[in-house]
Amino acid sequence: MKFQPPEVQAVTGRVVPALRIPDPQDPETDDDTLTDAEQKRLEAYEAVFERHREAFWEEGKALAGIVKGHLHRRDYPSLEAYLEARWGGMSRTVAYRRIELWQVGERLSPMGDINERQARALKPYADKHGFDAMETVYRTIVETDGVKVTAKLVEDAVGALPDGEFNEKKTVERVRAFLAGKVKPAIPGPAPAELPSPGEQVEKFRAVIRRIRVDRLRAADPAARQELADELRQLLAALENVGE
């Protein structure tokens, strides 16, 4: 089921036409110019920040479109500069956290007022079983009378589901049993350190690079310097080949 925004929506006490958020697309040119179509998409994405900032997934979809299409390329040399100027100083890390969740939010928003924490609790299940399975879980929760939907409840409901292949009927039964108090979520072991998101990993790597003082490495053993240089070249080659 593809989400279609409502024709009108209340924003800051007023009823205004709902924004149509274009799907992210690749760049249409190889240089810094924008085509008319790209300019229109950029304007639609920036309108999200200006008028729909309360919806995390709308921000995420708009940011995904800007990043995938490199739509900042004409006026700003980097995504960081663009975010600083046009998105209220949002960090690259926060932007990528929004991008990570927009498809979850868009898919589930017609069923209720899903927030970012609830979407994050469902994301691993969607990654493992797909969006249809994720929707089945969330729909079962929100359609159960007397249930207050919170991120903790969603997380525990997902934790009560068995491993293995997804089965819609059994999943619905299991979620309902959990909500009725008949099934408990799995007792977690020691919580592993949460892995940083792809955006956070990039930011951490950038921070490490900025702290390197090449001039101070001159005193190091020449063989060690050469080994470090070789490892950095290998890493650079791996980064350039990501996604190919």
Side-chain angles (χ1 to χ4, degrees):
M1 179 181 68
K2 184 173 176 61
F3 169 65
Q4 295 295 330
E7 291 302 322
V8 295
Q9 150 171 349
V11 179
T12 62
R14 300 182 298 118
V15 174
V16 299
L19 292 178
R20 302 285 178 171
I21 306 174
D23 289 335
Q25 298 182 35
D26 290 324
E28 296 182 5
T29 69
D30 295 328
D31 54 30
D32 292 340
T33 63
L34 297 182
T35 66
D36 290 343
E38 286 181 314
Q39 179 62 35
K40 289 179 180 178
R41 286 200 298 275
L42 179 60
E43 291 172 358
Y45 294 144
E46 291 185 337
V48 171
F49 177 75
E50 295 168 0
R51 301 171 66 187
H52 283 226
R53 191 174 180 180
E54 71 280 1
F56 75 92
W57 70 264
E58 291 179 328
E59 275 196 359
K61 184 173 184 180
L63 288 163
I66 291 167
V67 170
K68 184 172 184 178
H70 299 168
L71 297 182
H72 58 78
R73 66 184 186 270
R74 183 187 60 195
D75 299 319
Y76 298 93
S78 66
L79 178 63
E80 291 89 344
Y82 170 75
L83 293 172
E84 176 66 30
R86 301 292 295 172
W87 285 71
M90 179 184 291
S91 72
R92 186 186 183 102
T93 298
V94 170
Y96 273 93
R97 288 178 72 88
R98 294 280 196 275
I99 290 171
E100 220 174 22
L101 296 177
W102 78 262
Q103 290 171 302
V104 174
E106 182 181 63
R107 181 70 177 257
L108 300 180
S109 60
M111 289 179 244
D113 188 19
I114 186 169
N115 61 42
E116 185 172 351
R117 288 187 61 201
Q118 293 166 12
R120 195 163 295 283
L122 286 161
K123 180 68 163 55
Y125 195 79
D127 290 341
K128 184 175 182 179
H129 297 289
F131 285 99
D132 287 344
M134 172 199 70
E135 182 177 327
T136 295
V137 173
Y138 189 68
R139 184 185 298 278
T140 304
I141 294 172
V142 300
E143 290 183 352
T144 300
D145 293 336
V147 170
K148 181 180 180 181
V149 182
T150 65
K152 182 65 167 60
L153 180 74
V154 172
E155 184 178 359
D156 286 347
V158 171
L161 297 173
D163 292 330
E165 293 186 7
F166 171 75
N167 178 284
E168 182 175 0
K169 181 180 179 181
K170 291 181 178 179
T171 297
V172 170
E173 291 174 349
R174 186 81 172 184
V175 172
R176 287 174 177 168
F178 163 75
L179 296 174
K182 299 177 181 179
V183 174
K184 300 296 183 183
I187 300 175
E194 183 179 352
L195 293 175
S197 69
E200 290 171 323
Q201 292 182 57
V202 170
E203 286 301 304
K204 288 182 178 181
F205 188 58
R206 285 175 179 271
V208 171
I209 292 174
R210 293 187 185 113
R211 288 198 298 269
I212 293 176
R213 292 290 301 276
V214 175
D215 57 324
R216 294 186 180 181
L217 294 178
R218 291 172 183 164
D221 179 72
R225 290 203 312 265
Q226 185 59 51
E227 183 178 358
L228 174 61
D230 290 342
E231 290 178 356
L232 288 173
R233 289 191 191 96
Q234 292 174 13
L235 178 59
L236 179 59
L239 285 172
E240 289 176 338
N241 291 326
V242 167
E244 292 187 358

